[in-house]
Amino acid sequence: MTNHYQSTRGEPRVALVTCTELVDLDPDDRLVLAPLAARGIAAEAVVWDDADVDWSSYDLVVLRSPWDYALRRDEFVAWASSVPALVNPAEVVRWNTDKRYLAELSAAGVPTVPTSWVGPGESWLPPADTGEYVIKPAVSAGSQDTGRYDLADPEHRQLAAAHVRRLSDARRVTMVQPYLTAVDTEGETALLFLAGPDGLAFSHAIRKGPMLTGPDPGPDGLYKAEEITARTAAPAQLAVAEKTLAVVPGGTAQLLYARVDLIPGPDGAPVLVELELTEPSLFLGYADGAPDRLAEAVTTHLARRG
């Protein structure tokens, strides 16, 4: 039976946090509005950096599409720390918005894409080998400032070095990773987990087609276009996802949602590309019942705060 939470102020109010470019929410996120309304929950889109918002007036503040934060991460993390009833919570936001968390997960035994890091002001030369590499900033959203480089191509080598210099000059940490060619055939698998009465539970999975076709062309909007289809998660993928979630600082009970992005490694076994705990697309439109499951997750977190 659905557990309807009732605020002491009447109908519970939930803020779905977005950005000025998406004041009416991403279309996928709008799918949760009707299930929330059916549960007696008033939800509204609210822009994260709107100075006129009284965040304490909401019973729950749910991060959804604040996708313009990457160049203002310090401001965003400080904002998150000031917001009561935020999910996922501010400490998770602080940890998860800098992809150097991948090094922590790798050290904890999670299979991850091998990554090297270039700090601001550090010199970097393309590796001597001639494979393909991905270069991106440690703080980013929507594959912004991300490029794919074939180091067998002299021009690509120059463009790769220029990409790292551009990020370094902007005082940003750079990630350099080998390109996993299985993404061209198998694609990337995103496993979605949502809060339930017994904790975080697997909801559904999707496949993303390959997105990176070459060097970073520069600013091109909030996020790159994606080719999405529904997918059935394999046992090996679920096992890596569970292993990943098991080492999240503070545990998973605090989470409203989690997205685990995997690609087959050179041996075919799944490896972690990203663990999305801050503002992931949840792909609600690609699985029957997913909008209802997210609404139930919201209800669960409201009940905990009631």
Side-chain angles (χ1 to χ4, degrees), residues 126-133 149-154 156-157:
D129 66 56
T130 56
E132 288 190 281
Y133 283 81
Y149 300 89
D150 181 356
L151 299 188
D153 182 330
H156 274 226
R157 295 181 72 86

Side-chain angles (χ1 to χ4, degrees), residues 68-282:
D68 60 357
Y69 77 85
L71 297 178
R72 304 156 62 194
R73 176 183 176 259
D74 290 348
E75 179 185 348
F76 183 67
V77 169
W79 166 82
S81 298
S82 74
V83 177
L86 184 71
V87 285
N88 287 332
E91 281 308 305
V92 170
V93 170
R94 181 183 300 276
W95 179 76
N96 189 240
T97 48
D98 186 327
K99 293 182 178 61
R100 282 178 285 187
Y101 69 76
L102 288 171
E104 294 182 41
L105 295 179
S106 178
V110 176
T112 62
V113 180
T115 305
S116 58
W117 311 87
V118 186
E122 295 180 358
S123 60
W124 180 82
L125 292 173
D129 66 56
T130 56
E132 288 190 281
Y133 283 81
V134 173
I135 293 174
K136 59 185 174 182
V139 179
S140 67
S143 297
Q144 294 174 321
D145 301 304
T146 300
R148 170 183 172 182
Y149 300 89
D150 181 356
L151 299 188
D153 182 330
E155 182 182 5
H156 274 226
R157 295 181 72 86
Q158 293 179 357
L159 291 170
H163 189 165
V164 175
R165 282 197 304 272
R166 185 166 69 250
L167 294 174
S168 179
D169 289 347
R171 310 300 299 168
R172 303 175 78 185
V173 174
T174 301
M175 308 168 60
V176 182
Q177 301 173 319
Y179 184 76
L180 300 180
T181 56
V183 75
D184 292 332
T185 52
E186 295 298 314
E188 180 177 324
T189 301
L191 286 77
L192 287 305
F193 293 78
L194 299 172
D198 299 317
L200 207 62
F202 175 68
S203 171
H204 59 286
I206 59 94
R207 175 192 183 275
K208 288 188 193 179
M211 295 171 59
L212 300 179
T213 57
D216 176 39
D220 56 356
L222 274 181
Y223 49 86
K224 288 181 168 66
E226 298 176 325
E227 174 195 319
I228 308 296
T229 53
R231 167 165 275 178
T232 300
Q237 293 171 328
L238 287 166
V240 170
E242 295 288 355
K243 187 171 188 177
T244 301
L245 293 169
V247 294
V248 170
T252 58
Q254 63 189 323
L255 304 179
L256 179 72
Y257 51 67
R259 197 181 89 197
V260 182
D261 295 344
L262 306 173
I263 295 176
D267 63 356
V271 297
L272 180 71
V273 182
E274 287 189 26
L275 170 62
E276 299 264 15
L277 303 179
T278 302
E279 33 61 43
S281 293
L282 298 176

Side-chain angles (χ1 to χ4, degrees), residues 10-129:
E11 186 179 63
R13 298 181 71 217
V14 171
L16 301 177
V17 180
T18 185
C19 59
T20 53
E21 290 89 341
L22 293 166
V23 291
D24 294 320
L25 299 173
D26 181 72
D28 191 71
D29 285 329
R30 289 200 288 269
L31 297 176
V32 77
L33 295 176
L36 286 174
R39 289 163 172 77
I41 297 168
E44 57 188 279
V46 190
V47 175
W48 73 272
D49 57 354
D50 183 344
D52 294 328
V53 176
D54 176 10
W55 297 102
S56 66
S57 68
Y58 294 98
D59 298 287
L60 197 67
V61 178
V62 180
L63 287 165
R64 287 312 317 125
S65 49
W67 293 335
D68 60 357
Y69 77 85
L71 297 178
R72 304 156 62 194
R73 176 183 176 259
D74 290 348
E75 179 185 348
F76 183 67
V77 169
W79 166 82
S81 298
S82 74
V83 177
L86 184 71
V87 285
N88 287 332
E91 281 308 305
V92 170
V93 170
R94 181 183 300 276
W95 179 76
N96 189 240
T97 48
D98 186 327
K99 293 182 178 61
R100 282 178 285 187
Y101 69 76
L102 288 171
E104 294 182 41
L105 295 179
S106 178
V110 176
T112 62
V113 180
T115 305
S116 58
W117 311 87
V118 186
E122 295 180 358
S123 60
W124 180 82
L125 292 173
D129 66 56

